[in-house]
Structures are given as C-alpha cells and as structure tokens.
Amino acid sequence: CLGMDNTPCPLPWQDGEVLICQPASIAQGIKAYAREYTGKKFRAQLSEADIDQICRGLLNVDSAPERNPVGGGFNVDYENPLASESSPYYTVYPATLDGDQLWAKEFRLSSLSGVSRAEELSRIGREARVLHRLSRRRIPGIPYFYETRSAPDSMLVFVEPGTPWTLEKWIFGNPTREARLKLLDALAGMLAAIAELRPAVVHRAITPRNIRVQEDGSPQLINFELCQTDTLATLLVDARQTFNQSYQAPEVNQAGKRLTPATDVYSFMLCVYFALTGRHLIGQEARAFKAQKIRPGFYRSLVSTLGLPAQAAPLWQKALHDTPAERPAFAEIGQELHRWSTL
C-alpha cells in the first residue's frame, strides 16, 4: 500500500471510506470501521457472537459457496463450469432435465435490499422473458427456454445449449462460399422474424461468438441477456461492459437511446463481412472506422473485396449508416443475400 507520495503505508490503512488490509484481517477491519462509523446512533441488530460468525465466514474465501438443490427435476453440474461460454456477467454450467442436456446460466445478484433485488431480477431475467416469447413462436435457430430458478443470491436460467461451433470456428474450417451465403440468408430470415415482434426485441449482441452453426449448416443465435425491449429495464453496468465494440452500432453506446431492429442490421452486416472474408471489418477503434467509411470509394472497394458486384455498394452504405432510419430491413438484406448466392 503506497500513499500519494509513494511512501509505504502500514496496514490496515484507512482513508475516508477506503480500507486496505490483509485478507486475514479484512473482516475485523470492516467490523472496526462499522463500529466507529455508527457509534451509538444505531442499536445492534445482531449479537456479538453472530457478528463474529459472519466475520469468520468472510475469511473462508477458498471454499466454494454452498449450493442449494435446484428442484423441479433440474440437475446442475456446479463442479464443471463452461468457461468458454461464460462471461463476467454470468456463468454457464452443464445441466440436465429428464435426460436432456441443458445450459444453466447463473447470474449472481449484487443487491441485498428487497426492493433493489426485485429490480435486479427484472434486469437479469430479460433473456428468460424474451426466449419464452420466441419459444412460443417456434422460430428456428432460437434456443428453447425451459425455466428460471431463483436463489437468495442468484438466478438460474435454463435454456437449450448452444452448439459449440461458433461462426468463427466454422469459418476457419473454410466452408464453401455457397454454404456461407446459405447460412447468412437463413440468419437474415431468423432476424426478420424477430424484428416483426411487438413489443420489439433488439438482440444488440450479434457477433461471430453468438452466431452458432448447427450440424446441418443452419444458424443458431444465442445469448439474449443483453437484448432490449420496451418492457424490460435497462442493463446493469457489468452487463454493458461485455459488449463487443467491433460489432456494435453507434447508437448502442448512447445512454438512454431507444434501439430498433436497425441496430441489429448494423451488427449483422459486420458479421456478413466476417463470414465472407474471415476478417473483422472494425478493429479496436470504432472511431477510426467512422472516418474510414466516409472516404470516396470505400464501399466500392468493400464489395470488391467481398467478390460482389458494384451494384451491392449502396446496400452496404445504407446498412452501415450511422443513422438507424437509413438502414434497410432484414427482408431486403435477405433478398440480396439470396441473389448474391446465384452469382
């Protein structure tokens, strides 16, 4: 621990509401701080023995949290989390129900307040509500939603597993151009069906990682936990941090912006470019791309790289426009993809 002048500070060290100490002393440090902060203003709600027991629990950082039985016939394998499918926002575990293989997506709750907990459950439960709507409509390629289960400190969302073949893995296997365009055509049809829903559903995380390829070459779209609809609350901060900026429309990063399916059009066309070239159109710096795409001849060069005729340039220019209202609908894009497959 170093002070502002880079001199070592003895532990425990406190400055305002900041407390720094060794792991072994953190519980007692918090206890001493709380006692000093509250003084005699509040009457203790717990006995001294109960408080000491909580402190001892805080020291037991290496033990895994006790898991309550899920119930309802669901079995969750908490010992083998799927790291490649998880994110800082949630953890995915293998699960089963009557012999069926499922995913159990666990979202940890951060709030202890009853009111705040209800609001947080509403925010993290968006995937369950949206997938429930989509499951009723039987849209091909959308994972089936089973059920949610909530615990005091988490929510579990049980869904059909995503196939392990991400668009990235599939492309690196060098499929034919015909297979790529067929996949993209089917995906555009799926997104067109989603765009027709009312209230509208905006996935806003269409990326090569969330597009999966099934054994028959058809697409699957997973991970709706970042979606936006008119009936769901805004995202938590830790959820927003999982956005892949290389595939985000500009309006996604505008606070309070009401999104439309045109947001997914932008992301989808970036995935089209990736599927046809194996390269990301936008690098780490999205602002550089904004300047790049207004240069004369940019879209003519882009369609040439994709092996498309010059007549395709206007569609790309509209689809990647910074103004959502200028972008074409998925139905129009699907028609063009089908036409490109015949070239």
Side-chain angles (χ1 to χ4, degrees):
C1 176
L2 299 177
M4 295 295 292
D5 56 355
N6 287 330
T7 58
C9 300
L11 299 181
W13 180 83
Q14 180 181 336
D15 184 5
E17 295 185 352
V18 176
L19 174 67
I20 301 177
C21 51
Q22 298 288 352
S25 62
I26 189 169
Q28 291 301 324
I30 295 174
K31 177 181 173 182
Y33 169 77
R35 198 181 300 279
E36 178 184 350
Y37 176 79
T38 59
K40 297 181 179 180
K41 292 185 293 184
F42 303 103
R43 186 177 67 179
Q45 300 296 307
L46 299 174
S47 68
E48 193 71 22
D50 289 337
I51 294 174
D52 287 336
Q53 183 178 358
I54 292 173
C55 290
R56 288 193 296 272
L58 290 174
L59 295 177
N60 193 18
V61 294
D62 294 329
S63 63
E66 182 179 352
R67 302 289 190 175
N68 296 322
V70 176
F74 292 99
N75 292 297
V76 181
D77 183 3
Y78 288 112
E79 299 299 321
N80 296 290
L82 303 176
S84 62
E85 302 292 354
S86 302
S87 78
Y89 186 40
Y90 58 84
T91 304
V92 178
Y93 298 96
T96 58
L97 174 66
D98 299 329
D100 291 340
Q101 300 296 317
L102 315 178
W103 275 359
K105 298 179 73 171
E106 182 184 51
F107 299 83
R108 307 295 294 185
L109 301 178
S110 60
S111 176
L112 299 178
S113 160
V115 176
S116 299
R117 184 176 185 274
E119 181 181 354
E120 190 172 2
L121 283 170
S122 175
R123 291 181 179 185
I124 66 176
R126 67 183 62 235
E127 179 171 36
R129 294 176 62 180
V130 167
L131 286 181
H132 184 58
R133 290 177 61 196
L134 297 177
S135 295
R136 292 200 308 268
R137 287 161 176 78
R138 299 292 192 271
I139 298 177
I142 301 298
Y144 181 77
F145 164 73
Y146 285 83
E147 197 172 321
T148 59
R149 293 272 166 166
S150 58
D153 61 347
S154 66
M155 171 184 274
L156 285 169
V157 178
F158 291 93
V159 297
E160 179 185 354
T163 177
W165 283 95
T166 65
L167 181 61
E168 291 174 320
K169 289 182 180 179
W170 187 70
I171 289 301
F172 293 147
N174 197 27
T176 64
R177 181 178 177 86
E178 179 185 5
R180 300 180 195 213
L181 287 168
K182 182 179 179 181
L183 174 85
L184 294 169
D185 188 9
L187 183 57
M190 181 198 307
L191 291 168
I194 295 174
E196 292 176 356
L197 294 175
R198 294 295 179 272
V201 173
V202 182
H203 188 283
R204 67 174 167 187
I206 297 177
T207 66
R209 179 179 182 272
N210 288 335
I211 298 172
R212 303 299 171 97
V213 184
Q214 303 184 90
E215 289 186 4
D216 61 357
S218 62
Q220 182 189 44
L221 184 62
I222 68 170
N223 292 335
F224 281 76
E225 70 279 347
L226 301 177
C227 69
Q228 184 187 92
T229 79
D230 291 340
T231 59
L232 293 177
T234 55
L235 284 172
L236 300 171
V237 173
D238 55 350
R240 287 189 168 277
Q241 293 172 347
T242 65
F243 281 136
N244 184 340
Q245 294 300 324
S246 293
Y247 286 86
Q248 285 301 337
E251 64 270 15
V252 171
N253 296 313
Q254 299 174 17
K257 183 75 172 180
R258 176 54 59 186
L259 306 179
T260 69
T263 296
D264 286 343
V265 166
Y266 192 100
S267 301
F268 172 73
M269 292 303 284
L270 294 173
C271 290
V272 171
Y273 182 90
F274 175 80
L276 295 179
T277 66
R279 301 190 302 272
H280 305 293
L281 183 57
I282 301 180
Q284 297 297 319
E285 184 52 70
R287 286 179 296 182
F289 176 69
K290 185 174 182 177
Q292 183 183 14
K293 66 183 182 179
I294 62 175
R295 295 174 183 167
F298 172 80
Y299 289 100
R300 288 196 302 273
S301 175
L302 185 148
V303 296
S304 175
T305 299
L306 297 174
L308 299 174
Q311 293 87 338
L315 177 77
W316 281 89
Q317 188 168 6
K318 289 193 300 180
L320 297 180
H321 202 286
D322 284 349
T323 303
E326 297 294 328
R327 299 172 197 155
F330 278 112
E332 180 182 347
I333 294 173
Q335 292 174 358
E336 286 299 299
L337 284 166
H338 183 72
R339 190 171 66 83
W340 296 343
S341 65
T342 63
L343 297 176

